[in-house]
Amino acid sequence: MIDDAELFAADLIGRRLLKVTTAWHHHADDRPSLVHLWLHLEGLGPVLFHTPSTGLSLRADQPHGPYSMAEHGSVSVIDDSPDVPVTWFVGQMIRSVRQIDYNDGHVGFTAGLTLQFPGGSVRLLGLVDGLLIAHDQHLGAVEAHLHEDVALARVVQTSGGCPSQWDAWTTMGQYLYLRYRHGEGTVEQHPSEDVDTWDGEESRLWTSWDDGTNGGRIELTDFLATAGLRLDPEAEVHTTPSIGPRV
C-alpha cells in the first residue's frame, strides 16, 4: 500500500486487526486528547484515522514518532494502549464498517464509523476537531444527533437456502442485498434491486463474515444479528421466496 493513498470504509472489511497505535496531544495541565489513530491491518498495513475538521479521513500512513507542537504542548505515540477500546479487538477480523451521521436539524455531516468485530463493536468519531473512540458508552446530548442506517423497513426473501438471500430497504430508503452461502454472509449497498444498477459508485460492501460452517441456509433473525442490522418495529417482512437466487 502506498503511503498517503486515500482509503474507503469498504477497504477495511475482512481485514484482521494486528496492532493499534495512538498519538496523544498533551496540553499543559489538561487531560491528553487523541489526535491520531493508526489501525495496523493484515494485508493493508497501517491506516491513519484522523479528523481534519469534523468527520474522519482515512489514508495509508506510517505512525510518526513523538514530536513537539510549538507553544501547544507535545504529542506522544503509544502502541496498543489497554485504555483504548479498539485494542480489545486485536487479532479479530473487521466484519462490518458502518457510517455514522450527525444531524441536529441545522448541521448535518458524516461524523464517523462503527467497526464491528466478532467480539463486539467500537465507534470512531470526528467531532469538533477531536477524535473520539467510543465503546458501549452514551455520549450525552450529542447521542440524540447520531444515526446509523441499520434499521430495516422492508425485507423480501428471494431465496430460502443455498443461498439464503433477501432484498432489504432501510428506514432511510437505502437498498441492501443480503446473502449467505457456503458459510459466508455479505451485505451490499446498491442503488436499487435492479442488478443493472450495481456497477456504479453508489455500490459498496457493508459487511462480510465467514462462520466456518460452509452452510447455505440461515434464518433472517440470525443473519441480522450477525450483520449488525435490525428490523424496525413496523417493518414489512416477506419470508416466501418470490424471485429466485441471483448468481
Side-chain angles (χ1 to χ4, degrees):
M1 179 64 64
I2 301 174
D3 281 358
D4 285 332
E6 181 182 8
L7 297 173
F8 302 95
D11 296 327
L12 312 181
I13 297 172
R15 306 286 185 174
R16 187 180 305 279
L17 179 61
L18 304 176
K19 179 181 173 181
V20 177
T21 302
T22 52
W24 298 87
H25 185 195
H26 300 268
H27 319 252
D29 297 330
D30 296 335
R31 293 181 60 185
S33 60
L34 183 63
V35 290
H36 290 130
L37 168 72
W38 289 268
L39 299 186
H40 302 253
L41 301 175
E42 189 174 41
L44 197 59
V47 177
L48 170 64
F49 291 71
H50 71 109
T51 175
S53 56
T54 53
L56 292 179
S57 174
L58 281 66
R59 72 171 190 264
D61 184 71
Q62 294 292 328
H64 313 302
Y67 54 93
S68 297
M69 299 180 69
E71 301 181 2
H72 297 288
S74 62
V75 173
S76 62
V77 179
I78 302 173
D79 287 333
D80 290 330
S81 170
D83 297 328
V84 179
V86 72
T87 63
W88 305 343
F89 303 109
V90 168
Q92 298 186 30
M93 303 277 284
I94 297 177
R95 174 181 290 170
S96 177
V97 182
R98 302 189 299 270
Q99 179 175 300
I100 304 171
D101 294 320
Y102 176 94
N103 195 317
D104 61 8
H106 303 284
V107 177
F109 59 91
T110 300
L113 300 170
T114 291
L115 306 186
Q116 182 184 357
F117 298 86
S121 62
V122 63
R123 292 184 293 175
L124 308 179
L125 294 160
L127 299 170
V128 193
D129 296 317
L131 184 58
L132 174 67
I133 304 175
H135 175 74
D136 290 342
Q137 69 187 90
H138 194 278
L139 301 180
V142 71
E143 197 73 54
H145 307 308
L146 298 177
H147 175 75
E148 291 185 50
D149 195 15
V150 296
L152 303 182
R154 184 168 182 256
V155 180
V156 178
Q157 187 175 23
T158 57
S159 177
C162 298
S164 293
Q165 65 181 34
W166 300 264
D167 290 331
W169 291 262
T170 70
T171 53
M172 299 296 290
Q174 176 61 58
Y175 167 74
L176 300 176
Y177 173 45
L178 318 181
R179 180 181 175 93
Y180 178 82
R181 186 178 187 182
H182 301 317
E184 298 179 6
T186 56
V187 178
E188 299 174 10
Q189 167 191 311
H190 297 292
S192 75
E193 67 272 31
D194 182 353
V195 295
D196 291 335
T197 69
W198 290 15
D199 294 328
E201 295 181 356
E202 295 180 56
S203 295
R204 71 175 184 88
L205 181 66
W206 271 32
T207 304
S208 178
W209 79 88
D210 187 338
D211 61 21
T213 66
N214 201 38
R217 182 179 179 83
I218 189 172
E219 295 298 325
L220 177 61
T221 52
D222 294 332
F223 185 99
L224 297 183
T226 305
L229 300 171
R230 59 181 174 82
L231 291 175
D232 183 79
E234 299 182 0
E236 177 186 346
V237 180
H238 299 271
T239 58
T240 302
S242 58
I243 299 175
R246 296 186 175 95
V247 177

